Amino acid sequence: MTGRRRGGSPAASEPLRYRIGAHRPKMTGGSGGSGHTPTQREEDSMYTTRLAAALSGATVRQLAYWRRDTGTGPLLTPEYGTSPRALYSYRDVVALRICVRLRKETSLQRVRRSVAHLHQVAPDLHLASHQLKSAGPTIVWLTEDGDYIDTVERPGHMGIRVVMEEVLRAFTTADGRKVPDLRTPARGLSIDDEVRGGYPVVAGTRIPYDTIASLAQDGLGAAEIIDLYPSVTRDGIRGALDLAELVGLPEPQSA
């Protein structure tokens, strides 16, 4: 094997890192990005489009469409920019899961109207900060003050309760694809926004899932990987491979 991975660990070849979404180039801002050179910590927490799609339930084609301005602005622009390629943050993925769940129950037009309203009334808050739920012909928003506000039919009027916990739980998309729990995307893995900025890691460690998946796909056995990373379990290795496989699955024919 050649090259080194995060923390000085052995790395797989460059094509493999691209395949499982581990390689993330340096960014200097870009369309919809933060406009600054990311810190190393930020770079280590960037989600590629395929990883964001796998853990949000959206397709790559949907993400591309949702980045477009269709009159009311993009549904969601990646926090780390779109040039030379789209790179998402953990909270972007949370926001995307919100949109996917809403899209399962209501029209994309309503979702866009709801998001546009939130941008107007709370322009400094990321979409992931909001708790939203489809309620018949509208979408309601639970504010920080505990109020339930209509965001579509009668923007600003009182609505009904919504529970954020639902956004993080596993669910099935309208076309039948299973989206994993965002806190435990695979057995032996975990996601915590306070650990590596919310990037998937082996449970109980700060080791990125793709570091372990790369080693396993490069031919190292479980014992060899554990020798390199004593805190990694066999479940963590299997989970890393499972998530890498999910990220690498072909896209559905229809978005």
Side-chain angles (χ1 to χ4, degrees):
M1 294 185 293
T2 60
R4 307 291 289 179
R5 293 300 301 270
R6 301 186 190 93
S9 60
S13 63
E14 192 72 5
L16 177 62
R17 294 207 301 273
Y18 270 104
R19 186 173 75 248
I20 65 173
H23 182 69
R24 290 180 291 282
K26 285 185 177 293
M27 299 290 294
T28 55
S31 175
S34 57
H36 72 284
T37 301
T39 64
Q40 185 62 50
R41 180 177 180 180
E42 288 174 329
E43 288 191 12
D44 286 345
S45 65
M46 291 177 180
Y47 283 64
T48 62
T49 299
R50 293 196 68 86
L51 180 58
L55 292 179
S56 69
T59 66
V60 171
R61 289 175 59 193
Q62 280 178 317
L63 295 186
Y65 183 62
W66 291 354
R67 292 194 297 268
R68 298 178 192 168
D69 186 344
T70 59
T72 58
L75 184 60
L76 187 139
T77 301
E79 193 165 11
Y80 293 129
T82 58
S83 178
R85 61 174 177 157
L87 291 170
Y88 294 82
S89 67
Y90 167 78
R91 60 181 186 173
D92 286 339
V93 175
V94 173
L96 290 170
R97 288 173 74 100
I98 292 173
C99 293
V100 170
R101 283 179 170 275
L102 290 173
R103 185 64 187 88
K104 183 179 179 181
E105 300 173 349
T106 191
S107 69
L108 181 59
Q109 181 181 19
R110 285 190 180 126
V111 177
R112 285 188 179 276
R113 287 174 60 188
S114 176
V115 171
H117 175 72
L118 292 173
H119 285 330
Q120 289 181 346
V121 299
D124 296 329
L125 291 180
H126 193 283
L127 181 58
S129 303
H130 302 302
Q131 298 188 45
L132 301 171
K133 187 173 180 61
S134 174
T138 192
I139 296 172
V140 294
W141 165 40
L142 171 59
T143 70
E144 292 182 346
D145 295 329
D147 296 324
Y148 309 108
I149 308 298
D150 189 326
T151 63
V152 178
E153 292 295 301
R154 302 175 65 199
H157 287 72
M158 297 296 288
I160 62 174
R161 185 168 186 170
V162 61
V163 181
M164 184 64 173
E165 184 77 8
E166 295 179 5
V167 173
L168 302 180
R169 286 203 296 260
F171 65 97
T172 302
T173 64
D175 58 3
R177 289 176 295 117
K178 294 183 178 180
V179 182
D181 189 300
L182 192 57
R183 296 158 296 190
T184 53
R187 184 176 180 180
L189 301 186
S190 65
I191 294 179
D192 184 333
D193 61 352
E194 295 186 359
V195 177
R196 283 193 173 272
Y199 196 75
V201 298
V202 176
T205 77
R206 296 180 59 84
I207 303 170
Y209 87 96
D210 43 12
T211 294
I212 301 304
S214 290
L215 294 174
Q217 291 184 338
D218 222 30
L220 268 70
E224 294 175 287
I225 294 174
I226 293 172
D227 186 51
L228 288 171
Y229 296 98
S231 58
V232 170
T233 63
R234 291 179 181 272
D235 279 349
I237 296 171
R238 284 192 291 268
L241 286 170
D242 287 344
L243 181 53
E245 181 180 1
L246 177 63
V247 172
L249 287 176
E251 281 289 293
Q253 292 301 309
S254 58

